Amino acid sequence: KAGVTQTPRYLIKTRGQQVTLSCSPISGHRSVSWYQQTPGQGLQFLFEYFSETQRNKGNFPGRFSGRQFSNSRSEMNVSTLELGDSALYLCASSLVGETEQFFGPGTRLTVL
Amino acid sequence: QQPVQSPQAVILREGEDAVINCSSSKALYSVHWYRQKHGEAPVFLMILLKGGEQKGHDKISASFNEKKQQSSLYLTASQLSYSGTYFCGTEILDNYGQNFVFGPGTRLSVLP
């Protein structure tokens, strides 16, 4: 069974630009969650999508948005990038509800 | 609100035991434990869903004390492969809705 895949793995952008990250969950998983990981703030929850609907959202500005497609693949978009957005962005998929999350390898975003 | 983990870091020799604690000021309805090795994505260890529940596999086990709003992860006869950062996580309901929060992590180093 293929794991969670994320593309691209690495990305360098400049301030003010926007970026789109992609996540393909494990086959059969309908829930996709996104996390931002930084040395200072640790792992922080961004949002969760289930059946193309945003189910939960963390404490992040509106510049961070996402969506989920009918095949459960998800994209995350960050507009007007700031230096502080430099981080490892992880997506995780799970079946539903209180189940384990399977993490992808992450996308390392660097904002210059 | 983020769970609190203790200790922040621990260094062990192979074969020694360790306990990592996770506590919250808010009610804990479930506790997830993950391990992240350097440069890799977090990997699921176990979920505890009910107060009093204990789980384990190999020499890693965990308990969940719902009344005390805390969980503990026990690593017995540690192996080199146990090195990594251990995170506890839980679902919370806050001003932004329901989201999943991780503790700051406990860095475990097992030396030969």
PDB file of all heavy atoms in Angstrom, chain A residues 35 37 41 43 45 56-59 88 90 97-101 103-105, chain B residues 2 30 32 34 36 41-44 47 49 87 91 96-102:
ATOM      1  N   TYR A  35      -0.247  20.240   8.731  1.00  0.00           N
ATOM      2  CA  TYR A  35       0.458  20.757   9.881  1.00  0.00           C
ATOM      3  C   TYR A  35       1.652  21.582   9.419  1.00  0.00           C
ATOM      4  O   TYR A  35       2.261  21.296   8.392  1.00  0.00           O
ATOM      5  CB  TYR A  35       0.988  19.622  10.778  1.00  0.00           C
ATOM      6  CG  TYR A  35      -0.092  18.785  11.409  1.00  0.00           C
ATOM      7  CD1 TYR A  35      -0.615  17.677  10.743  1.00  0.00           C
ATOM      8  CD2 TYR A  35      -0.585  19.090  12.672  1.00  0.00           C
ATOM      9  CE1 TYR A  35      -1.600  16.896  11.315  1.00  0.00           C
ATOM     10  CE2 TYR A  35      -1.579  18.319  13.256  1.00  0.00           C
ATOM     11  CZ  TYR A  35      -2.078  17.222  12.572  1.00  0.00           C
ATOM     12  OH  TYR A  35      -3.058  16.456  13.146  1.00  0.00           O
ATOM     13  N   GLN A  37       5.399  22.662  10.786  1.00  0.00           N
ATOM     14  CA  GLN A  37       6.380  22.332  11.818  1.00  0.00           C
ATOM     15  C   GLN A  37       7.570  23.272  11.721  1.00  0.00           C
ATOM     16  O   GLN A  37       8.214  23.370  10.667  1.00  0.00           O
ATOM     17  CB  GLN A  37       6.852  20.882  11.706  1.00  0.00           C
ATOM     18  CG  GLN A  37       7.752  20.461  12.858  1.00  0.00           C
ATOM     19  CD  GLN A  37       8.081  18.989  12.871  1.00  0.00           C
ATOM     20  OE1 GLN A  37       8.198  18.352  11.830  1.00  0.00           O
ATOM     21  NE2 GLN A  37       8.216  18.417  14.063  1.00  0.00           N
ATOM     22  N   GLN A  41       7.939  26.713  17.094  1.00  0.00           N
ATOM     23  CA  GLN A  41       6.532  26.479  17.421  1.00  0.00           C
ATOM     24  C   GLN A  41       6.130  25.013  17.422  1.00  0.00           C
ATOM     25  O   GLN A  41       5.019  24.682  17.827  1.00  0.00           O
ATOM     26  CB  GLN A  41       5.634  27.236  16.423  1.00  0.00           C
ATOM     27  CG  GLN A  41       5.833  28.736  16.411  1.00  0.00           C
ATOM     28  CD  GLN A  41       5.460  29.361  17.726  1.00  0.00           C
ATOM     29  OE1 GLN A  41       4.478  28.981  18.353  1.00  0.00           O
ATOM     30  NE2 GLN A  41       6.258  30.309  18.175  1.00  0.00           N
ATOM     31  N   LEU A  43       4.874  21.380  16.143  1.00  0.00           N
ATOM     32  CA  LEU A  43       3.872  20.913  15.184  1.00  0.00           C
ATOM     33  C   LEU A  43       2.562  21.639  15.434  1.00  0.00           C
ATOM     34  O   LEU A  43       1.968  21.501  16.493  1.00  0.00           O
ATOM     35  CB  LEU A  43       3.621  19.418  15.377  1.00  0.00           C
ATOM     36  CG  LEU A  43       4.430  18.433  14.556  1.00  0.00           C
ATOM     37  CD1 LEU A  43       4.277  17.031  15.117  1.00  0.00           C
ATOM     38  CD2 LEU A  43       4.014  18.464  13.100  1.00  0.00           C
ATOM     39  N   PHE A  45      -1.340  22.535  14.035  1.00  0.00           N
ATOM     40  CA  PHE A  45      -2.426  22.118  13.159  1.00  0.00           C
ATOM     41  C   PHE A  45      -2.927  23.279  12.309  1.00  0.00           C
ATOM     42  O   PHE A  45      -3.184  24.374  12.824  1.00  0.00           O
ATOM     43  CB  PHE A  45      -3.564  21.583  14.040  1.00  0.00           C
ATOM     44  CG  PHE A  45      -4.843  21.267  13.319  1.00  0.00           C
ATOM     45  CD1 PHE A  45      -4.975  20.109  12.583  1.00  0.00           C
ATOM     46  CD2 PHE A  45      -5.925  22.132  13.395  1.00  0.00           C
ATOM     47  CE1 PHE A  45      -6.166  19.805  11.936  1.00  0.00           C
ATOM     48  CE2 PHE A  45      -7.123  21.838  12.761  1.00  0.00           C
ATOM     49  CZ  PHE A  45      -7.235  20.678  12.021  1.00  0.00           C
ATOM     50  N   ASN A  56     -12.165  21.097  10.295  1.00  0.00           N
ATOM     51  CA  ASN A  56     -11.576  21.805  11.428  1.00  0.00           C
ATOM     52  C   ASN A  56     -10.499  22.744  10.934  1.00  0.00           C
ATOM     53  O   ASN A  56      -9.902  22.526   9.874  1.00  0.00           O
ATOM     54  CB  ASN A  56     -10.955  20.819  12.426  1.00  0.00           C
ATOM     55  CG  ASN A  56     -11.974  19.856  12.989  1.00  0.00           C
ATOM     56  OD1 ASN A  56     -13.000  20.272  13.521  1.00  0.00           O
ATOM     57  ND2 ASN A  56     -11.716  18.569  12.871  1.00  0.00           N
ATOM     58  N   LYS A  57     -10.233  23.776  11.721  1.00  0.00           N
ATOM     59  CA  LYS A  57      -9.227  24.762  11.313  1.00  0.00           C
ATOM     60  C   LYS A  57      -8.472  25.223  12.542  1.00  0.00           C
ATOM     61  O   LYS A  57      -9.050  25.460  13.598  1.00  0.00           O
ATOM     62  CB  LYS A  57      -9.907  25.942  10.627  1.00  0.00           C
ATOM     63  CG  LYS A  57      -8.946  26.920   9.982  1.00  0.00           C
ATOM     64  CD  LYS A  57      -9.703  28.028   9.262  1.00  0.00           C
ATOM     65  CE  LYS A  57      -8.791  28.891   8.410  1.00  0.00           C
ATOM     66  NZ  LYS A  57      -7.685  29.497   9.160  1.00  0.00           N
ATOM     67  N   GLY A  58      -7.166  25.355  12.397  1.00  0.00           N
ATOM     68  CA  GLY A  58      -6.339  25.847  13.482  1.00  0.00           C
ATOM     69  C   GLY A  58      -6.237  27.360  13.451  1.00  0.00           C
ATOM     70  O   GLY A  58      -6.876  28.043  12.655  1.00  0.00           O
ATOM     71  N   ASN A  59      -5.412  27.883  14.315  1.00  0.00           N
ATOM     72  CA  ASN A  59      -5.265  29.317  14.482  1.00  0.00           C
ATOM     73  C   ASN A  59      -4.219  29.887  13.528  1.00  0.00           C
ATOM     74  O   ASN A  59      -3.111  30.218  13.932  1.00  0.00           O
ATOM     75  CB  ASN A  59      -4.892  29.627  15.938  1.00  0.00           C
ATOM     76  CG  ASN A  59      -4.742  31.103  16.184  1.00  0.00           C
ATOM     77  OD1 ASN A  59      -5.265  31.924  15.438  1.00  0.00           O
ATOM     78  ND2 ASN A  59      -4.031  31.451  17.238  1.00  0.00           N
ATOM     79  N   LEU A  88       8.482  23.279   7.648  1.00  0.00           N
ATOM     80  CA  LEU A  88       8.172  21.989   7.046  1.00  0.00           C
ATOM     81  C   LEU A  88       6.654  21.826   7.114  1.00  0.00           C
ATOM     82  O   LEU A  88       6.067  21.922   8.195  1.00  0.00           O
ATOM     83  CB  LEU A  88       8.852  20.859   7.818  1.00  0.00           C
ATOM     84  CG  LEU A  88       8.600  19.434   7.301  1.00  0.00           C
ATOM     85  CD1 LEU A  88       9.229  19.234   5.924  1.00  0.00           C
ATOM     86  CD2 LEU A  88       9.142  18.408   8.293  1.00  0.00           C
ATOM     87  N   LEU A  90       3.597  19.416   6.726  1.00  0.00           N
ATOM     88  CA  LEU A  90       3.289  17.990   6.731  1.00  0.00           C
ATOM     89  C   LEU A  90       1.810  17.774   6.490  1.00  0.00           C
ATOM     90  O   LEU A  90       0.972  18.504   7.029  1.00  0.00           O
ATOM     91  CB  LEU A  90       3.657  17.369   8.086  1.00  0.00           C
ATOM     92  CG  LEU A  90       5.141  17.307   8.431  1.00  0.00           C
ATOM     93  CD1 LEU A  90       5.336  17.170   9.930  1.00  0.00           C
ATOM     94  CD2 LEU A  90       5.801  16.148   7.701  1.00  0.00           C
ATOM     95  N   GLY A  97     -12.374   9.884  11.986  1.00  0.00           N
ATOM     96  CA  GLY A  97     -12.520   9.910  13.433  1.00  0.00           C
ATOM     97  C   GLY A  97     -11.242   9.674  14.193  1.00  0.00           C
ATOM     98  O   GLY A  97     -10.171  10.100  13.780  1.00  0.00           O
ATOM     99  N   GLU A  98     -11.357   8.976  15.274  1.00  0.00           N
ATOM    100  CA  GLU A  98     -10.237   8.778  16.182  1.00  0.00           C
ATOM    101  C   GLU A  98      -9.345   7.646  15.700  1.00  0.00           C
ATOM    102  O   GLU A  98      -9.307   6.576  16.273  1.00  0.00           O
ATOM    103  CB  GLU A  98     -10.776   8.441  17.589  1.00  0.00           C
ATOM    104  CG  GLU A  98     -11.423   9.597  18.273  1.00  0.00           C
ATOM    105  CD  GLU A  98     -10.392  10.578  18.808  1.00  0.00           C
ATOM    106  OE1 GLU A  98      -9.188  10.291  18.733  1.00  0.00           O
ATOM    107  OE2 GLU A  98     -10.811  11.628  19.310  1.00  0.00           O
ATOM    108  N   THR A  99      -8.648   7.879  14.619  1.00  0.00           N
ATOM    109  CA  THR A  99      -7.757   6.846  14.111  1.00  0.00           C
ATOM    110  C   THR A  99      -6.370   7.435  13.927  1.00  0.00           C
ATOM    111  O   THR A  99      -6.178   8.642  13.948  1.00  0.00           O
ATOM    112  CB  THR A  99      -8.248   6.287  12.768  1.00  0.00           C
ATOM    113  OG1 THR A  99      -8.325   7.363  11.822  1.00  0.00           O
ATOM    114  CG2 THR A  99      -9.626   5.662  12.912  1.00  0.00           C
ATOM    115  N   GLU A 100      -5.415   6.571  13.749  1.00  0.00           N
ATOM    116  CA  GLU A 100      -4.048   7.025  13.595  1.00  0.00           C
ATOM    117  C   GLU A 100      -3.888   7.845  12.324  1.00  0.00           C
ATOM    118  O   GLU A 100      -4.600   7.642  11.340  1.00  0.00           O
ATOM    119  CB  GLU A 100      -3.111   5.835  13.559  1.00  0.00           C
ATOM    120  CG  GLU A 100      -3.351   4.901  12.384  1.00  0.00           C
ATOM    121  CD  GLU A 100      -2.465   3.675  12.456  1.00  0.00           C
ATOM    122  OE1 GLU A 100      -1.266   3.811  12.195  1.00  0.00           O
ATOM    123  OE2 GLU A 100      -2.994   2.609  12.779  1.00  0.00           O
ATOM    124  N   GLN A 101      -2.980   8.768  12.383  1.00  0.00           N
ATOM    125  CA  GLN A 101      -2.670   9.592  11.233  1.00  0.00           C
ATOM    126  C   GLN A 101      -1.360   9.099  10.611  1.00  0.00           C
ATOM    127  O   GLN A 101      -0.396   8.835  11.316  1.00  0.00           O
ATOM    128  CB  GLN A 101      -2.522  11.060  11.639  1.00  0.00           C
ATOM    129  CG  GLN A 101      -3.802  11.652  12.213  1.00  0.00           C
ATOM    130  CD  GLN A 101      -3.638  13.115  12.556  1.00  0.00           C
ATOM    131  OE1 GLN A 101      -3.549  13.969  11.688  1.00  0.00           O
ATOM    132  NE2 GLN A 101      -3.602  13.404  13.835  1.00  0.00           N
ATOM    133  N   PHE A 103       1.629  10.202   8.261  1.00  0.00           N
ATOM    134  CA  PHE A 103       2.221  11.439   7.765  1.00  0.00           C
ATOM    135  C   PHE A 103       2.987  11.217   6.469  1.00  0.00           C
ATOM    136  O   PHE A 103       3.627  10.174   6.272  1.00  0.00           O
ATOM    137  CB  PHE A 103       3.181  12.026   8.799  1.00  0.00           C
ATOM    138  CG  PHE A 103       2.486  12.734   9.923  1.00  0.00           C
ATOM    139  CD1 PHE A 103       1.988  12.024  11.004  1.00  0.00           C
ATOM    140  CD2 PHE A 103       2.326  14.115   9.905  1.00  0.00           C
ATOM    141  CE1 PHE A 103       1.338  12.674  12.052  1.00  0.00           C
ATOM    142  CE2 PHE A 103       1.686  14.768  10.937  1.00  0.00           C
ATOM    143  CZ  PHE A 103       1.193  14.044  12.012  1.00  0.00           C
ATOM    144  N   GLY A 104       2.932  12.224   5.617  1.00  0.00           N
ATOM    145  CA  GLY A 104       3.782  12.247   4.439  1.00  0.00           C
ATOM    146  C   GLY A 104       5.157  12.766   4.810  1.00  0.00           C
ATOM    147  O   GLY A 104       5.383  13.193   5.942  1.00  0.00           O
ATOM    148  N   PRO A 105       6.086  12.767   3.847  1.00  0.00           N
ATOM    149  CA  PRO A 105       7.462  13.204   4.137  1.00  0.00           C
ATOM    150  C   PRO A 105       7.598  14.703   4.327  1.00  0.00           C
ATOM    151  O   PRO A 105       8.613  15.170   4.845  1.00  0.00           O
ATOM    152  CB  PRO A 105       8.235  12.743   2.893  1.00  0.00           C
ATOM    153  CG  PRO A 105       7.218  12.726   1.809  1.00  0.00           C
ATOM    154  CD  PRO A 105       5.927  12.324   2.455  1.00  0.00           C
TER     155      PRO A 105
ATOM    156  N   GLN B   2      -1.925  23.881  24.049  1.00  0.00           N
ATOM    157  CA  GLN B   2      -0.986  22.805  23.800  1.00  0.00           C
ATOM    158  C   GLN B   2      -0.752  21.964  25.053  1.00  0.00           C
ATOM    159  O   GLN B   2      -0.573  22.498  26.153  1.00  0.00           O
ATOM    160  CB  GLN B   2       0.339  23.434  23.355  1.00  0.00           C
ATOM    161  CG  GLN B   2       1.373  22.470  22.843  1.00  0.00           C
ATOM    162  CD  GLN B   2       2.650  23.201  22.450  1.00  0.00           C
ATOM    163  OE1 GLN B   2       3.172  24.029  23.178  1.00  0.00           O
ATOM    164  NE2 GLN B   2       3.162  22.893  21.271  1.00  0.00           N
ATOM    165  N   SER B  30      -8.804  11.949  24.313  1.00  0.00           N
ATOM    166  CA  SER B  30      -7.999  10.907  23.685  1.00  0.00           C
ATOM    167  C   SER B  30      -6.569  11.404  23.667  1.00  0.00           C
ATOM    168  O   SER B  30      -6.314  12.609  23.739  1.00  0.00           O
ATOM    169  CB  SER B  30      -8.465  10.631  22.254  1.00  0.00           C
ATOM    170  OG  SER B  30      -8.191  11.746  21.432  1.00  0.00           O
ATOM    171  N   HIS B  32      -2.877  10.696  21.546  1.00  0.00           N
ATOM    172  CA  HIS B  32      -2.114  10.015  20.498  1.00  0.00           C
ATOM    173  C   HIS B  32      -0.644  10.187  20.828  1.00  0.00           C
ATOM    174  O   HIS B  32      -0.231  11.238  21.307  1.00  0.00           O
ATOM    175  CB  HIS B  32      -2.354  10.667  19.128  1.00  0.00           C
ATOM    176  CG  HIS B  32      -3.764  10.648  18.663  1.00  0.00           C
ATOM    177  ND1 HIS B  32      -4.099  10.384  17.353  1.00  0.00           N
ATOM    178  CD2 HIS B  32      -4.947  10.873  19.299  1.00  0.00           C
ATOM    179  CE1 HIS B  32      -5.404  10.447  17.207  1.00  0.00           C
ATOM    180  NE2 HIS B  32      -5.946  10.747  18.371  1.00  0.00           N
ATOM    181  N   TYR B  34       3.246   9.863  19.004  1.00  0.00           N
ATOM    182  CA  TYR B  34       3.998   9.749  17.764  1.00  0.00           C
ATOM    183  C   TYR B  34       5.474   9.867  18.067  1.00  0.00           C
ATOM    184  O   TYR B  34       5.880  10.512  19.037  1.00  0.00           O
ATOM    185  CB  TYR B  34       3.603  10.863  16.779  1.00  0.00           C
ATOM    186  CG  TYR B  34       2.226  10.706  16.197  1.00  0.00           C
ATOM    187  CD1 TYR B  34       1.103  11.111  16.912  1.00  0.00           C
ATOM    188  CD2 TYR B  34       2.045  10.142  14.936  1.00  0.00           C
ATOM    189  CE1 TYR B  34      -0.164  10.954  16.375  1.00  0.00           C
ATOM    190  CE2 TYR B  34       0.777   9.993  14.395  1.00  0.00           C
ATOM    191  CZ  TYR B  34      -0.317  10.395  15.121  1.00  0.00           C
ATOM    192  OH  TYR B  34      -1.570  10.236  14.595  1.00  0.00           O
ATOM    193  N   GLN B  36       9.125  10.947  16.056  1.00  0.00           N
ATOM    194  CA  GLN B  36       9.704  11.528  14.845  1.00  0.00           C
ATOM    195  C   GLN B  36      11.219  11.444  14.923  1.00  0.00           C
ATOM    196  O   GLN B  36      11.826  11.986  15.851  1.00  0.00           O
ATOM    197  CB  GLN B  36       9.263  12.987  14.675  1.00  0.00           C
ATOM    198  CG  GLN B  36       9.739  13.624  13.383  1.00  0.00           C
ATOM    199  CD  GLN B  36       9.200  15.043  13.209  1.00  0.00           C
ATOM    200  OE1 GLN B  36       8.942  15.748  14.182  1.00  0.00           O
ATOM    201  NE2 GLN B  36       9.033  15.478  11.954  1.00  0.00           N
ATOM    202  N   ALA B  41       9.284  12.070   8.887  1.00  0.00           N
ATOM    203  CA  ALA B  41       7.945  12.451   9.309  1.00  0.00           C
ATOM    204  C   ALA B  41       7.586  11.727  10.611  1.00  0.00           C
ATOM    205  O   ALA B  41       8.141  10.667  10.913  1.00  0.00           O
ATOM    206  CB  ALA B  41       6.931  12.094   8.228  1.00  0.00           C
ATOM    207  N   PRO B  42       6.661  12.280  11.385  1.00  0.00           N
ATOM    208  CA  PRO B  42       6.201  11.584  12.596  1.00  0.00           C
ATOM    209  C   PRO B  42       5.564  10.243  12.239  1.00  0.00           C
ATOM    210  O   PRO B  42       4.920  10.103  11.203  1.00  0.00           O
ATOM    211  CB  PRO B  42       5.160  12.539  13.184  1.00  0.00           C
ATOM    212  CG  PRO B  42       5.485  13.873  12.613  1.00  0.00           C
ATOM    213  CD  PRO B  42       6.024  13.599  11.239  1.00  0.00           C
ATOM    214  N   VAL B  43       5.753   9.284  13.120  1.00  0.00           N
ATOM    215  CA  VAL B  43       5.191   7.948  12.925  1.00  0.00           C
ATOM    216  C   VAL B  43       4.304   7.613  14.113  1.00  0.00           C
ATOM    217  O   VAL B  43       4.696   7.800  15.265  1.00  0.00           O
ATOM    218  CB  VAL B  43       6.306   6.896  12.773  1.00  0.00           C
ATOM    219  CG1 VAL B  43       5.720   5.490  12.757  1.00  0.00           C
ATOM    220  CG2 VAL B  43       7.112   7.146  11.510  1.00  0.00           C
ATOM    221  N   PHE B  44       3.122   7.122  13.816  1.00  0.00           N
ATOM    222  CA  PHE B  44       2.157   6.789  14.855  1.00  0.00           C
ATOM    223  C   PHE B  44       2.665   5.644  15.737  1.00  0.00           C
ATOM    224  O   PHE B  44       3.208   4.655  15.255  1.00  0.00           O
ATOM    225  CB  PHE B  44       0.849   6.371  14.174  1.00  0.00           C
ATOM    226  CG  PHE B  44      -0.175   5.775  15.099  1.00  0.00           C
ATOM    227  CD1 PHE B  44      -0.980   6.601  15.854  1.00  0.00           C
ATOM    228  CD2 PHE B  44      -0.334   4.408  15.197  1.00  0.00           C
ATOM    229  CE1 PHE B  44      -1.943   6.073  16.690  1.00  0.00           C
ATOM    230  CE2 PHE B  44      -1.283   3.863  16.033  1.00  0.00           C
ATOM    231  CZ  PHE B  44      -2.095   4.698  16.781  1.00  0.00           C
ATOM    232  N   ILE B  47      -2.851   5.081  20.138  1.00  0.00           N
ATOM    233  CA  ILE B  47      -3.921   5.982  20.581  1.00  0.00           C
ATOM    234  C   ILE B  47      -4.541   5.394  21.831  1.00  0.00           C
ATOM    235  O   ILE B  47      -4.779   4.188  21.903  1.00  0.00           O
ATOM    236  CB  ILE B  47      -5.050   6.093  19.544  1.00  0.00           C
ATOM    237  CG1 ILE B  47      -4.592   6.733  18.269  1.00  0.00           C
ATOM    238  CG2 ILE B  47      -6.210   6.893  20.096  1.00  0.00           C
ATOM    239  CD1 ILE B  47      -5.701   6.798  17.229  1.00  0.00           C
ATOM    240  N   LEU B  49      -7.976   5.944  23.995  1.00  0.00           N
ATOM    241  CA  LEU B  49      -9.270   6.610  23.839  1.00  0.00           C
ATOM    242  C   LEU B  49     -10.079   6.685  25.122  1.00  0.00           C
ATOM    243  O   LEU B  49     -11.014   7.467  25.211  1.00  0.00           O
ATOM    244  CB  LEU B  49     -10.104   5.882  22.777  1.00  0.00           C
ATOM    245  CG  LEU B  49      -9.499   5.876  21.370  1.00  0.00           C
ATOM    246  CD1 LEU B  49     -10.346   5.019  20.443  1.00  0.00           C
ATOM    247  CD2 LEU B  49      -9.410   7.284  20.818  1.00  0.00           C
ATOM    248  N   PHE B  87       6.081  12.899  20.552  1.00  0.00           N
ATOM    249  CA  PHE B  87       5.014  13.893  20.689  1.00  0.00           C
ATOM    250  C   PHE B  87       3.735  13.227  21.181  1.00  0.00           C
ATOM    251  O   PHE B  87       3.367  12.143  20.713  1.00  0.00           O
ATOM    252  CB  PHE B  87       4.684  14.542  19.339  1.00  0.00           C
ATOM    253  CG  PHE B  87       5.789  15.349  18.730  1.00  0.00           C
ATOM    254  CD1 PHE B  87       6.655  14.784  17.813  1.00  0.00           C
ATOM    255  CD2 PHE B  87       5.957  16.686  19.090  1.00  0.00           C
ATOM    256  CE1 PHE B  87       7.662  15.533  17.234  1.00  0.00           C
ATOM    257  CE2 PHE B  87       6.974  17.436  18.512  1.00  0.00           C
ATOM    258  CZ  PHE B  87       7.836  16.853  17.593  1.00  0.00           C
ATOM    259  N   GLU B  91      -7.152  15.981  20.650  1.00  0.00           N
ATOM    260  CA  GLU B  91      -8.134  16.873  20.028  1.00  0.00           C
ATOM    261  C   GLU B  91      -8.650  17.832  21.093  1.00  0.00           C
ATOM    262  O   GLU B  91      -8.928  17.431  22.210  1.00  0.00           O
ATOM    263  CB  GLU B  91      -9.305  16.077  19.447  1.00  0.00           C
ATOM    264  CG  GLU B  91      -8.946  15.313  18.202  1.00  0.00           C
ATOM    265  CD  GLU B  91     -10.167  14.831  17.440  1.00  0.00           C
ATOM    266  OE1 GLU B  91     -11.291  14.984  17.953  1.00  0.00           O
ATOM    267  OE2 GLU B  91     -10.008  14.307  16.340  1.00  0.00           O
ATOM    268  N   TYR B  96     -11.374  28.458  17.918  1.00  0.00           N
ATOM    269  CA  TYR B  96     -11.286  28.312  16.466  1.00  0.00           C
ATOM    270  C   TYR B  96     -11.983  27.049  15.991  1.00  0.00           C
ATOM    271  O   TYR B  96     -11.971  26.748  14.805  1.00  0.00           O
ATOM    272  CB  TYR B  96      -9.812  28.327  16.049  1.00  0.00           C
ATOM    273  CG  TYR B  96      -9.094  29.554  16.535  1.00  0.00           C
ATOM    274  CD1 TYR B  96      -8.351  29.524  17.702  1.00  0.00           C
ATOM    275  CD2 TYR B  96      -9.214  30.763  15.843  1.00  0.00           C
ATOM    276  CE1 TYR B  96      -7.726  30.660  18.176  1.00  0.00           C
ATOM    277  CE2 TYR B  96      -8.584  31.896  16.312  1.00  0.00           C
ATOM    278  CZ  TYR B  96      -7.854  31.837  17.475  1.00  0.00           C
ATOM    279  OH  TYR B  96      -7.230  32.961  17.947  1.00  0.00           O
ATOM    280  N   GLY B  97     -12.568  26.324  16.924  1.00  0.00           N
ATOM    281  CA  GLY B  97     -13.250  25.093  16.554  1.00  0.00           C
ATOM    282  C   GLY B  97     -12.512  23.899  17.120  1.00  0.00           C
ATOM    283  O   GLY B  97     -11.787  24.006  18.111  1.00  0.00           O
ATOM    284  N   GLN B  98     -12.711  22.773  16.486  1.00  0.00           N
ATOM    285  CA  GLN B  98     -12.062  21.563  16.961  1.00  0.00           C
ATOM    286  C   GLN B  98     -10.775  21.368  16.180  1.00  0.00           C
ATOM    287  O   GLN B  98     -10.783  21.383  14.949  1.00  0.00           O
ATOM    288  CB  GLN B  98     -12.985  20.366  16.762  1.00  0.00           C
ATOM    289  CG  GLN B  98     -12.456  19.088  17.344  1.00  0.00           C
ATOM    290  CD  GLN B  98     -13.481  17.967  17.279  1.00  0.00           C
ATOM    291  OE1 GLN B  98     -14.636  18.202  16.943  1.00  0.00           O
ATOM    292  NE2 GLN B  98     -13.069  16.762  17.584  1.00  0.00           N
ATOM    293  N   ASN B  99      -9.688  21.218  16.856  1.00  0.00           N
ATOM    294  CA  ASN B  99      -8.462  20.931  16.141  1.00  0.00           C
ATOM    295  C   ASN B  99      -7.564  20.014  16.941  1.00  0.00           C
ATOM    296  O   ASN B  99      -7.853  19.699  18.099  1.00  0.00           O
ATOM    297  CB  ASN B  99      -7.750  22.226  15.716  1.00  0.00           C
ATOM    298  CG  ASN B  99      -7.209  23.002  16.882  1.00  0.00           C
ATOM    299  OD1 ASN B  99      -6.197  22.643  17.439  1.00  0.00           O
ATOM    300  ND2 ASN B  99      -7.860  24.100  17.242  1.00  0.00           N
ATOM    301  N   PHE B 100      -6.535  19.558  16.305  1.00  0.00           N
ATOM    302  CA  PHE B 100      -5.637  18.583  16.897  1.00  0.00           C
ATOM    303  C   PHE B 100      -4.364  19.312  17.317  1.00  0.00           C
ATOM    304  O   PHE B 100      -3.768  20.011  16.511  1.00  0.00           O
ATOM    305  CB  PHE B 100      -5.311  17.486  15.880  1.00  0.00           C
ATOM    306  CG  PHE B 100      -4.690  16.275  16.500  1.00  0.00           C
ATOM    307  CD1 PHE B 100      -5.484  15.276  17.009  1.00  0.00           C
ATOM    308  CD2 PHE B 100      -3.314  16.152  16.579  1.00  0.00           C
ATOM    309  CE1 PHE B 100      -4.928  14.149  17.594  1.00  0.00           C
ATOM    310  CE2 PHE B 100      -2.750  15.031  17.163  1.00  0.00           C
ATOM    311  CZ  PHE B 100      -3.553  14.022  17.669  1.00  0.00           C
ATOM    312  N   VAL B 101      -3.972  19.172  18.573  1.00  0.00           N
ATOM    313  CA  VAL B 101      -2.776  19.858  19.056  1.00  0.00           C
ATOM    314  C   VAL B 101      -1.749  18.856  19.536  1.00  0.00           C
ATOM    315  O   VAL B 101      -2.087  17.845  20.170  1.00  0.00           O
ATOM    316  CB  VAL B 101      -3.090  20.859  20.185  1.00  0.00           C
ATOM    317  CG1 VAL B 101      -3.835  22.047  19.639  1.00  0.00           C
ATOM    318  CG2 VAL B 101      -3.837  20.200  21.310  1.00  0.00           C
ATOM    319  N   PHE B 102      -0.503  19.137  19.245  1.00  0.00           N
ATOM    320  CA  PHE B 102       0.608  18.327  19.707  1.00  0.00           C
ATOM    321  C   PHE B 102       1.329  19.043  20.839  1.00  0.00           C
ATOM    322  O   PHE B 102       1.368  20.269  20.905  1.00  0.00           O
ATOM    323  CB  PHE B 102       1.607  18.101  18.568  1.00  0.00           C
ATOM    324  CG  PHE B 102       1.191  17.052  17.581  1.00  0.00           C
ATOM    325  CD1 PHE B 102       0.583  17.408  16.382  1.00  0.00           C
ATOM    326  CD2 PHE B 102       1.423  15.708  17.838  1.00  0.00           C
ATOM    327  CE1 PHE B 102       0.208  16.442  15.471  1.00  0.00           C
ATOM    328  CE2 PHE B 102       1.057  14.737  16.924  1.00  0.00           C
ATOM    329  CZ  PHE B 102       0.442  15.107  15.742  1.00  0.00           C
TER     330      PHE B 102
END
